[in-house]
C-alpha cells in the first residue's frame, strides 16, 4: 500500500506570494492533519480534516487554510507569505478521527522557503 | 493545554549499547495516548512505539521499550542494542482521547547519535 505522498517536495516563494501544498493520504484513510516544523518552534499542529470538514485547528493566523476533497486528498494554502513561514510542512493521515487504534502516518513533507 | 518536554537536546550511544531518552508531559486528562516518533535525517517521520495511558503494562516493540510512569507524567524510551540506523531525531508526542481528534502535541526532540 502506498504511503502518504506530498507534492511538491521543495518550493521557493517570495514574500507576499501565496502557495498551495498537496497531500494524498494512504488509501482508505479519511483523516488528514497538517503540521509545521521549524528549528525554532518545533512541530506545531495546523489543522485536521475528516470527511471534508475541518475538525481541529491549531493556533495559526487566518493566512493558513486548508481543505479536503471527497477522495480524502487535502491541500493547504498559505497566503501573503512571510519569511517566518519558511518551514517543513508535514502531512499525516490516519484511518479515522481519533479511533482507539488509530496511528498517524506521516508524509515526507514539503520544504517551503520564503525569500 | 497539554505540554510535552524533552530535556535532552542531544544524546550519544555506542553501537550495541543501551540508551534512554526522557520525556515528561503535563495534562489534566486521565486517559490519553503517548507516542515516540523517529525522524531520520531527510527522511519521513515514523512511529516507534505507542502507549495507552489506561494500560499499566509498558509497551515494547522489539529493541524499543518504554517506561511509563503515569503519576510522575514521565514517558521514557529505551533503545537496546543500538544500531547505526537508530541515529535520528526522536520526538515524544501526546494525543488526547477526547476533543482533540488526532492532534499530536510534540516535544522539542532529542537528536540521537550512534557511534561505532
Amino acid at each position: 500500500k502506498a504511503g502518504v505522498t506530498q507534492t511538491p517536495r521543495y518550493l521557493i516563494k517570495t514574500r507576499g506570494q501565496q502557495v498551495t501544498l498537496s497531500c494524498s493520504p494512504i488509501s482508505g484513510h479519511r483523516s488528514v492533519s497538517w503540521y509545521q516544523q521549524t528549528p525554532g518552534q518545533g512541530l506545531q499542529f495546523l489543522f485536521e480534516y475528516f470527511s471534508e470538514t475541518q475538525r481541529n485547528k491549531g493556533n495559526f493566523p487566518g493566512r493558513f487554510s486548508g481543505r479536503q476533497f471527497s477522495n480524502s486528498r487535502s491541500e493547504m494554502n498559505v497566503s501573503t507569505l512571510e519569511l517566518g513561514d519558511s518551514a517543513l510542512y508535514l502531512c499525516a493521515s490516519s484511518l479515522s478521527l481519533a479511533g482507539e487504534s488509530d496511528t498517524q502516518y506521516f508524509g515526507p513533507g514539503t520544504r517551503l522557503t520564503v525569500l | 493545554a497539554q505540554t510535552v518536554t524533552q530535556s535532552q537536546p542531544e544524546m550519544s550511544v555506542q553501537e550495541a549499547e543501551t540508551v534512554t531518552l526522557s520525556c515528561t508531559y503535563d495534562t489534566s486528562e486521565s486517559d490519553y495516548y503517548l507516542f515516540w516518533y523517529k525522524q531520520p535525517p531527510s527522511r519521513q517521520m515514523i512511529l516507534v512505539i505507542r502507549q495507552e495511558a489506561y494500560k499499566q503494562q509498558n509497551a515494547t516493540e522489539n529493541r524499543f521499550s518504554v517506561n511509563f510512569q503515569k503519576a510522575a507524567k514521565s514517558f521514557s524510551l529505551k533503545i537496546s542494542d543500538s544500531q547505526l540506523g537508530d541515529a535520528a531525531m526522536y520526538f515524544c508526542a501526546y494525543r488526547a482521547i477526547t476533543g482533540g481528534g488526532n492532534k499530536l502535541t510534540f516535544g522539542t526532540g532529542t537528536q540521537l547519535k550512534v557511534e561505532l
Side-chain angles (χ1 to χ4, degrees), chain B residues 91-102:
Chain B
F91 292 96
C92 177
Y94 168 100
R95 196 193 98 190
I97 284 189
T98 58
N102 285 305

PDB file of all heavy atoms in Angstrom, chain B residues 91-102:
ATOM      1  N   PHE B  91      11.042  12.182  18.702  1.00  0.00           N
ATOM      2  CA  PHE B  91      10.039  13.071  19.263  1.00  0.00           C
ATOM      3  C   PHE B  91       9.065  12.290  20.126  1.00  0.00           C
ATOM      4  O   PHE B  91       8.561  11.243  19.728  1.00  0.00           O
ATOM      5  CB  PHE B  91       9.239  13.769  18.150  1.00  0.00           C
ATOM      6  CG  PHE B  91      10.036  14.749  17.343  1.00  0.00           C
ATOM      7  CD1 PHE B  91      10.602  14.367  16.131  1.00  0.00           C
ATOM      8  CD2 PHE B  91      10.220  16.048  17.790  1.00  0.00           C
ATOM      9  CE1 PHE B  91      11.331  15.266  15.374  1.00  0.00           C
ATOM     10  CE2 PHE B  91      10.946  16.959  17.038  1.00  0.00           C
ATOM     11  CZ  PHE B  91      11.501  16.561  15.831  1.00  0.00           C
ATOM     12  N   CYS B  92       8.814  12.831  21.287  1.00  0.00           N
ATOM     13  CA  CYS B  92       7.777  12.329  22.164  1.00  0.00           C
ATOM     14  C   CYS B  92       6.505  13.112  21.844  1.00  0.00           C
ATOM     15  O   CYS B  92       6.563  14.323  21.576  1.00  0.00           O
ATOM     16  CB  CYS B  92       8.209  12.543  23.620  1.00  0.00           C
ATOM     17  SG  CYS B  92       7.021  12.054  24.879  1.00  0.00           S
ATOM     18  N   ALA B  93       5.358  12.440  21.826  1.00  0.00           N
ATOM     19  CA  ALA B  93       4.127  13.132  21.462  1.00  0.00           C
ATOM     20  C   ALA B  93       2.964  12.642  22.311  1.00  0.00           C
ATOM     21  O   ALA B  93       2.928  11.484  22.741  1.00  0.00           O
ATOM     22  CB  ALA B  93       3.822  12.936  19.979  1.00  0.00           C
ATOM     23  N   TYR B  94       2.008  13.541  22.504  1.00  0.00           N
ATOM     24  CA  TYR B  94       0.819  13.289  23.311  1.00  0.00           C
ATOM     25  C   TYR B  94      -0.406  13.452  22.442  1.00  0.00           C
ATOM     26  O   TYR B  94      -0.470  14.353  21.590  1.00  0.00           O
ATOM     27  CB  TYR B  94       0.785  14.301  24.457  1.00  0.00           C
ATOM     28  CG  TYR B  94      -0.513  14.377  25.236  1.00  0.00           C
ATOM     29  CD1 TYR B  94      -0.644  13.736  26.459  1.00  0.00           C
ATOM     30  CD2 TYR B  94      -1.610  15.109  24.749  1.00  0.00           C
ATOM     31  CE1 TYR B  94      -1.827  13.820  27.181  1.00  0.00           C
ATOM     32  CE2 TYR B  94      -2.790  15.189  25.461  1.00  0.00           C
ATOM     33  CZ  TYR B  94      -2.885  14.545  26.673  1.00  0.00           C
ATOM     34  OH  TYR B  94      -4.059  14.615  27.377  1.00  0.00           O
ATOM     35  N   ARG B  95      -1.391  12.579  22.664  1.00  0.00           N
ATOM     36  CA  ARG B  95      -2.668  12.754  21.970  1.00  0.00           C
ATOM     37  C   ARG B  95      -3.800  12.544  22.955  1.00  0.00           C
ATOM     38  O   ARG B  95      -3.842  11.527  23.660  1.00  0.00           O
ATOM     39  CB  ARG B  95      -2.817  11.762  20.822  1.00  0.00           C
ATOM     40  CG  ARG B  95      -3.922  12.122  19.825  1.00  0.00           C
ATOM     41  CD  ARG B  95      -4.240  10.971  18.907  1.00  0.00           C
ATOM     42  NE  ARG B  95      -5.414  10.253  19.393  1.00  0.00           N
ATOM     43  CZ  ARG B  95      -5.822   9.085  18.897  1.00  0.00           C
ATOM     44  NH1 ARG B  95      -5.154   8.502  17.941  1.00  0.00           N
ATOM     45  NH2 ARG B  95      -6.907   8.518  19.373  1.00  0.00           N
ATOM     46  N   ALA B  96      -4.688  13.499  23.033  1.00  0.00           N
ATOM     47  CA  ALA B  96      -5.845  13.365  23.898  1.00  0.00           C
ATOM     48  C   ALA B  96      -6.794  12.311  23.349  1.00  0.00           C
ATOM     49  O   ALA B  96      -6.800  12.046  22.143  1.00  0.00           O
ATOM     50  CB  ALA B  96      -6.564  14.709  24.021  1.00  0.00           C
ATOM     51  N   ILE B  97      -7.590  11.734  24.220  1.00  0.00           N
ATOM     52  CA  ILE B  97      -8.576  10.756  23.769  1.00  0.00           C
ATOM     53  C   ILE B  97      -9.853  11.446  23.336  1.00  0.00           C
ATOM     54  O   ILE B  97     -10.486  11.040  22.368  1.00  0.00           O
ATOM     55  CB  ILE B  97      -8.852   9.722  24.882  1.00  0.00           C
ATOM     56  CG1 ILE B  97      -7.691   8.745  24.945  1.00  0.00           C
ATOM     57  CG2 ILE B  97     -10.173   9.011  24.639  1.00  0.00           C
ATOM     58  CD1 ILE B  97      -7.924   7.567  25.846  1.00  0.00           C
ATOM     59  N   THR B  98     -10.227  12.507  24.010  1.00  0.00           N
ATOM     60  CA  THR B  98     -11.472  13.191  23.654  1.00  0.00           C
ATOM     61  C   THR B  98     -11.192  14.638  23.310  1.00  0.00           C
ATOM     62  O   THR B  98     -10.366  15.302  23.936  1.00  0.00           O
ATOM     63  CB  THR B  98     -12.480  13.156  24.812  1.00  0.00           C
ATOM     64  OG1 THR B  98     -11.897  13.762  25.959  1.00  0.00           O
ATOM     65  CG2 THR B  98     -12.885  11.731  25.134  1.00  0.00           C
ATOM     66  N   GLY B  99     -11.860  15.102  22.270  1.00  0.00           N
ATOM     67  CA  GLY B  99     -11.854  16.523  21.958  1.00  0.00           C
ATOM     68  C   GLY B  99     -10.768  17.016  21.037  1.00  0.00           C
ATOM     69  O   GLY B  99     -10.873  18.082  20.473  1.00  0.00           O
ATOM     70  N   GLY B 100      -9.718  16.271  20.882  1.00  0.00           N
ATOM     71  CA  GLY B 100      -8.615  16.802  20.078  1.00  0.00           C
ATOM     72  C   GLY B 100      -8.431  16.124  18.747  1.00  0.00           C
ATOM     73  O   GLY B 100      -7.478  16.442  18.014  1.00  0.00           O
ATOM     74  N   GLY B 101      -9.316  15.208  18.407  1.00  0.00           N
ATOM     75  CA  GLY B 101      -9.131  14.471  17.169  1.00  0.00           C
ATOM     76  C   GLY B 101      -7.808  13.729  17.200  1.00  0.00           C
ATOM     77  O   GLY B 101      -7.440  13.138  18.206  1.00  0.00           O
ATOM     78  N   ASN B 102      -7.093  13.789  16.096  1.00  0.00           N
ATOM     79  CA  ASN B 102      -5.804  13.128  16.015  1.00  0.00           C
ATOM     80  C   ASN B 102      -4.643  14.065  16.312  1.00  0.00           C
ATOM     81  O   ASN B 102      -3.484  13.691  16.121  1.00  0.00           O
ATOM     82  CB  ASN B 102      -5.607  12.536  14.613  1.00  0.00           C
ATOM     83  CG  ASN B 102      -6.430  11.288  14.404  1.00  0.00           C
ATOM     84  OD1 ASN B 102      -6.330  10.340  15.166  1.00  0.00           O
ATOM     85  ND2 ASN B 102      -7.267  11.288  13.387  1.00  0.00           N
TER      86      ASN B 102
END
